[in-house]
Amino acid sequence: MKILIVDDSKLSRLTILKRMPAAIKDSADIFQGENGVEAINLYKEHCPDIVFLDLTMPEMDGFEALAHIRDFDKNCRVHIVTADIQAKSQEKVMALGAVAVEPKPISEGRLAEIFATLPGAGS
């Protein structure tokens, strides 16, 4: 399994990693980026099975990055992980094709639920 985590906050990226189920973390290829430009480039290079994407980042925000990723791969599985709880922001990312909007910090239990829905999550 390939996982992409994109957030300008190193602490936020580490929190996702720390809370990820051990079996997934130990067997996955995990890639990290700090902004939307890196998100697009890493997605195109590695074609991850799942993406955890922040919205508020420098250079290119998560909204624009999600749109580009969806243009590249209509079947992408992008979970927005954000502190932005505005209904308009959530509606916008869902319209852009996000799988879900997850509040920061994402819980260990929620990460387990997300990974349980992925094909091949046990491999």
Side-chain angles (χ1 to χ4, degrees):
M1 173 178 298
K2 295 179 186 177
I3 302 166
L4 175 58
I5 303 168
V6 183
D7 195 308
D8 59 316
S9 165
K10 184 176 183 178
L11 179 60
S12 291
R13 293 192 312 270
L14 290 175
T15 298
I16 293 171
L17 283 169
K18 186 176 182 179
R19 294 179 177 179
M20 200 176 288
I24 298 291
K25 185 174 20 180
D26 293 344
S27 64
D29 292 323
I30 300 172
F31 309 97
Q32 297 183 50
E34 297 181 5
N35 60 58
V37 173
E38 290 181 10
I40 295 164
N41 292 335
L42 287 166
Y43 193 94
K44 288 180 177 179
E45 182 179 349
H46 300 288
C47 295
D49 299 292
I50 189 166
V51 179
F52 296 98
L53 180 66
D54 186 26
L55 288 181
T56 307
M57 298 180 290
E59 293 187 52
M60 180 188 291
D61 65 26
F63 296 104
E64 190 173 350
L66 174 59
H68 284 282
I69 290 169
R70 287 281 298 169
D71 284 344
F72 178 75
D73 178 4
K74 297 287 184 217
N75 297 314
C76 65
R77 294 187 55 89
V78 179
H79 286 256
I80 301 298
V81 182
T82 183
D84 185 345
I85 58 168
Q86 296 178 62
K88 281 191 178 262
S89 295
Q90 293 182 22
E91 290 168 11
K92 183 175 178 179
V93 294
M94 294 307 289
L96 287 169
V99 173
V101 179
E102 313 293 346
K104 267 187 184 179
I106 192 167
S107 72
E108 197 171 313
R110 180 62 183 137
L111 280 169
E113 291 172 6
I114 290 167
F115 284 109
T117 67
L118 292 177
S123 59

